[in-house]
Structure formats: C-alpha cells, structure tokens
Amino acid sequence: MNAPESLPLEFPVFDNSFAALPETFYTRLAPQPLPAPYVVASSAEVAGLIGLPAGLLETQEFAEIFAGNQPLPGADPLAAVYSGHQFGVWAGQLGDGRAHLLGGLRNPQGHWEIQLKGAGRTPYSRGADGRAVLRSSIREFLCSEAMAGLGIPTTRALCVIGADQPVRREEIETAAVVTRVAPGFVRFGSFEHWASRDRHSELQQLADYVIDTFRPECRAAANPYDALLRDVSWRTGELMAQWMAVGFMHGVMNTDNMSILGLTLDYGPFGFMEAFDAGHICNHSDHQGRYTYRNQPHVAQWNLYCLADAFLPLIKRPKQAREAIDETYGDAFGASFERLMRSKLGLHSGLADDEDFVGETFGLLQQHRPDFTLFFRALTKLPAVLDGETPAKTDAPLRDLFVDRAACDAWLATWRARLAQTPWPDGERQAAMRAANPKYVLRNWLAEKAIRQAKDKDFSEVRRLLACLRKPYDEQPEFEDYAALPPDWASGLEVSCSS
Ligand code: AMP
Ligand code: MG
C-alpha cells in the first residue's frame, strides 16, 4: 500500500487549564492574521517538548498556525490581565498587550502553555499596536534557547514567524510573532493585580491555580500560600545567582516581568556582560540604572516584597508575608551564588575565606574590565601549578585579556594558592570548570549580525547561532567566531525597550 501523500498530523491534546479559570482573569480572543507569513527559525527541541508532529516544523502550515492565521487544533486563545510595578512605580493594570495564550497541555515532560507574542491587539494593549518586530522576536527566540542551553530556568521559544507587514517603531520595521512555551506565564503582577483591587477571592483562586497546577507539594503546609511564597522566593534567589554567574542582565525587572515559577521571562533589552562593569546598564531606556548587573539581586528581593504584600490577605499575619522572603531569599541566593562561583573558579570544596576570594575576583574584574565570559573560560585552561614554566607562556590565555599583566599575575598567584588548599587533579578540575563557564553566550553583536541578515531574508545566521547556543559549554571549534570579543562596529550598539 502506498503512503498517503500528506500524512495526517497528530496534534497534542490540550487541557487549557488556565482558560478554566473564571473569565475575570482574561479575555478570550483570536490572534489577528498576518499576511504571507514565513518561518524565520524554529526549535525542534521545543517542538519535541510539546509533542508537535515533526512533519509540521518549517512547513507553510506551521507558519500559518504560529503567525496566528490558522487555529491550532484544541486551542482556546486568550489574553491574560495583570498589573505591576514598573521601574519601582505602581503602573496599575497592564496585561498581555500583544500575547495570545493558545492553550495548555500536560504530557510526561510536564505542563506546557503555548503563547504567541506579537499576534495583534488585545484589550490590554493600551494604545499600542499589539505587534512585535523581527529584531526583538529574534532576540527573544535566541535568548530563550540560549538560557535553556546554559541550564537556566526560562520560558522557551518554539519559533519566529516573520511577515512583510510594516510596523512603526523608531523606524519602520517588519512584523514577527515569536511562539513561547513554558509551564506557565503567571507573573508577580498577576497577584498584585487582584490584591490592589481588594479582590481576595480572585487572589485566592489564582494562588490555588498555581499550587494545584505547579506546586501541589505546597498543599501539605500549614499555610499553602505561605509555602508558595517561600517557593517563589527560593527559586527567584536561585535564578538571580544563575543570572549573575553567566553575566546575564534582564534589563526590565519590573514585577510584571517576574515569573511566579522562577523562570526568566520577557526578553527585551537584555544583555550578557562583556567588558566587566558591575554598574553596566544593558537597557538604554533605564536612565536611572535601576536594573544594572549589580542591582539585580536587590531588585529581585524588592519585587518579592511587592509579591509578599500582595499575598497578605492570603497569609493574614502581616509580618509573616515579608518574613517568608527574609527567611528564604538571601539563603537561596547566597548558597547558589557561592556554589556557582566555586564551580567557576575550580574550587573543589568550600573554605571559610572563599567569600573574600570571590570578592577579590570581582574587584579584579571591575578594575581591569576583561571580557567576563572569556575571563572564566580562559581560566579553565590554566594548570594549578606553574611547574617551572613562565607565566607568560602558561597563563597567556588569561593574561592576554589584561593590559596590566602584573595585576593578572598577582591574582593568579592567589588563585593558585587557593587551589592548593583543596587539591583536585587538573584534568578533572578543568572539565568541571568548562561545565560551569560557557564559551558561548548571546552577545549583542552576535544577535545583531543575525538580525541584520534576517532583515535581508537570510535566516541562516539565526539558525547557525541557535545550533551553537544549544551547547554553550562545549568547545565547538566550528563556531570559534562566536567566542570572539565584540568587533569595532559593535561598540555603539544600544538596546532599548522598543520592541
Ligand atoms: P514590556 O516592557 O515588554 O514587558 O511590556 C509592558 C507591557 O506593555 C506589557 O503589558 C505588554 O504586553 C505591553 N506592550 C508592550 N509592547 C506592546 C505593543 N507593541 N502592543 C501592545 N502591548 C504592548
Ligand atoms: Mg513584559
């Protein structure tokens, strides 16, 4: 028997659990069609997570579905409402101004929700156009998958679909839709929304939804809502440590961009640290420098206090809500950051003075501004003992990143003395350090190069970058060009909230 020309495609079965919440939580509405869509890039890994038929990827039907032109079988599209604090100021009601949740499903790999970003206006668009441009969609797509490759909790991205429809930003650009996939998209601001309106019943419904869907273990606690708050606080602390350890800067850590599940959420003007400066502002629109690299752990805690205040009606005892943060966040961040820094520096086990040594290391970085990623990756190549060789020869990979070689040598002497206190064979230590210090991160200039080509309809660079960023800790000599310092043309690159 001959195979039929087009095989029937088996779509995953949706449960749409968020849509089962009362309609006060969202507005049901279909995405707005985008004429003549095309596939810019897709992630087979994410397609696998949600059980999409492999034969669908990259087809015209795929482009039509994820542009929002053709319904995904079983979907029940909606835009959710939330509020939030933006740049430290209460902003009132926000919501999915350009995101459509298509639906959710549960499979052996977890609970997944599928969301289009940029598929048209919603009741929460606040006068904006509901669209996203190709530039920012490629950035979100690549960074979601890059963070997943780094092993950092994040929303994922299935694809970017482009279209020639013009979209007005500082200049005219073209429209795109990025499909995000995550266990859930509930934000700190989703809770602040109901608390700010004294709508305690909805507040509790939302908390119950999060607990029942994602954190059933919280039910066993004396106060499940207190347990949920502590869970969010703990995960957020761990997430901040992970961001800091790879030099990731989110750029817009408003409470509406903070995930209740501890995921990296809403990629906009993010950046990865290059020449180290703890005061670096990656978002050109952040005039006060609220979201600098060094501020991120403090801002996350401030955001958690906002969440704790929103949880007050559920926890009832006022002091207890903020206490839940104080008793978890610092410990989670501190323990994770210490563990990650120990791995990055190749320390086999912890010693009492390690915090000082880590501080000294950041002091060196701040004073001499080497490239953050290259510094730690170069360190993985160095032996624990000089063994008669000159530093000029043995330590060249690291020394070459410094103008002041003597400063580098002095720090290396301290590092070697510290290594000697907890000996670890070089081969093993170096392999462990490589697994903690990525060779490849999504540098702005790499994203920019891929975007410039994509604007000319050449998507090969987006795809090549994606392939590289899947395995950021591997050597991958074929991608050596992606591990380079930013070229001169990239020195003026600025990223703003415009997306
Ligand atoms: P962001 O700064 O990207 O987190 O966005 C803040 C809020 O503005 C969110 O509620 C977004 O949904 C909304 N928003 C941003 N850009 C647009 C747009 N082009 N159209 C509609 N809503 C938007
Ligand atoms: Mg946002």
Side-chain angles (χ1 to χ4, degrees), residues 97-98 121-131 168-169:
R98 51 172 168 173
R121 303 195 67 224
T122 78
Y124 316 110
S125 300
R126 298 178 299 150
D129 60 9
R131 291 296 177 191
R168 181 181 291 276
R169 295 293 180 260

Side-chain angles (χ1 to χ4, degrees), residues 272-316:
F272 281 87
M273 185 66 79
E274 296 192 298
F276 188 82
D277 174 13
H280 183 68
I281 304 170
C282 67
N283 175 359
H284 192 60
S285 316
D286 179 9
H287 307 295
Q288 311 286 322
R290 181 177 175 85
Y291 300 137
T292 56
Y293 173 79
R294 77 155 71 79
N295 280 359
Q296 293 190 128
H298 308 290
V299 169
Q301 187 169 16
W302 190 90
N303 290 342
L304 282 163
Y305 283 144
C306 292
L307 182 67
D309 291 346
F311 265 59
L312 275 182
L314 302 176
I315 293 180
K316 302 208 171 75

Side-chain angles (χ1 to χ4, degrees), residues 51-389:
L52 271 193
L56 185 67
L57 273 183
E58 305 273 332
T59 62
Q60 191 54 36
E61 189 184 5
F62 183 77
E64 298 288 344
I65 291 175
F66 294 102
N69 298 352
Q70 191 177 305
L72 180 63
D76 185 7
L78 60 84
V81 69
Y82 51 81
S83 294
H85 281 86
Q86 298 188 319
F87 293 91
V89 178
W90 177 244
Q93 182 186 302
L94 305 162
D96 292 330
R98 51 172 168 173
H100 291 70
L101 182 67
L102 295 184
L105 59 101
R106 188 174 282 282
N107 64 21
Q109 301 176 88
H111 180 276
W112 304 105
E113 298 196 340
I114 305 167
Q115 191 189 62
L116 304 185
K117 181 170 175 180
R121 303 195 67 224
T122 78
Y124 316 110
S125 300
R126 298 178 299 150
D129 60 9
R131 291 296 177 191
V133 296
L134 181 64
R135 161 179 58 83
S136 64
S137 304
I138 288 174
R139 282 173 56 86
E140 171 140 22
F141 173 78
L142 285 176
C143 201
S144 307
E145 295 307 281
M147 292 293 264
L150 288 164
I152 299 177
T154 177
T155 61
R156 303 293 303 264
L158 171 69
C159 58
V160 180
I161 307 297
D164 290 344
Q165 181 164 308
V167 175
R168 181 181 291 276
R169 295 293 180 260
E170 280 85 357
E171 49 192 54
I172 303 291
E173 302 187 48
T174 60
V177 178
V178 57
T179 298
R180 309 198 286 193
V181 172
F185 292 95
V186 175
R187 298 142 192 273
F188 289 13
S190 311
F191 287 88
E192 290 179 281
H193 181 71
W194 299 114
S196 71
R197 291 161 186 236
D198 283 325
R199 298 272 291 267
H200 299 171
S201 154
E202 281 88 350
L203 188 66
Q204 186 168 347
Q205 277 175 31
L206 187 62
D208 285 336
Y209 165 74
V210 171
I211 292 172
D212 294 341
T213 313
F214 307 106
R215 309 285 179 239
E217 63 280 6
C218 291
R219 277 282 168 234
N223 183 327
Y225 309 113
D226 177 66
L228 175 60
L229 189 56
R230 284 168 192 266
D231 174 278
V232 180
S233 177
W234 191 268
R235 287 172 195 268
T236 304
E238 290 184 333
L239 183 68
M240 289 309 113
Q242 287 176 288
W243 285 5
M244 300 302 275
V246 297
F248 175 78
M249 293 161 285
H250 183 284
V252 204
M253 289 176 66
N254 296 334
T255 58
D256 54 306
N257 291 337
M258 297 289 293
S259 156
I260 205 72
L261 303 178
L263 308 170
T264 311
L265 170 67
D266 275 10
Y267 292 91
F270 64 83
F272 281 87
M273 185 66 79
E274 296 192 298
F276 188 82
D277 174 13
H280 183 68
I281 304 170
C282 67
N283 175 359
H284 192 60
S285 316
D286 179 9
H287 307 295
Q288 311 286 322
R290 181 177 175 85
Y291 300 137
T292 56
Y293 173 79
R294 77 155 71 79
N295 280 359
Q296 293 190 128
H298 308 290
V299 169
Q301 187 169 16
W302 190 90
N303 290 342
L304 282 163
Y305 283 144
C306 292
L307 182 67
D309 291 346
F311 265 59
L312 275 182
L314 302 176
I315 293 180
K316 302 208 171 75
R317 284 185 286 154
K319 243 180 98 195
Q320 209 180 349
R322 286 199 169 201
E323 249 171 41
I325 310 303
D326 292 335
E327 289 172 8
T328 49
Y329 180 76
D331 288 348
F333 176 77
S336 302
F337 190 65
E338 191 187 307
R339 180 178 50 78
L340 291 166
M341 286 313 298
R342 206 190 300 139
S343 306
K344 288 179 82 69
L345 291 164
L347 312 183
H348 184 268
S349 39
L351 292 178
D353 293 342
D354 285 349
E355 205 179 318
D356 293 344
F357 180 56
V358 168
E360 205 177 304
T361 304
F362 276 95
L364 176 88
L365 297 177
Q366 184 68 37
Q367 196 177 347
H368 299 278
R369 316 260 165 133
D371 182 271
F372 183 77
T373 303
L374 293 185
F375 173 86
F376 283 103
R377 189 71 183 186
L379 193 62
T380 68
K381 300 190 176 124
L382 307 193
V385 179
L386 275 179
D387 226 2
E389 292 283 2

Side-chain angles (χ1 to χ4, degrees), residues 407-420:
C408 177
D409 291 343
W411 179 83
L412 275 174
T414 315
W415 177 66
R416 289 200 161 102
R418 173 58 190 84
L419 288 187

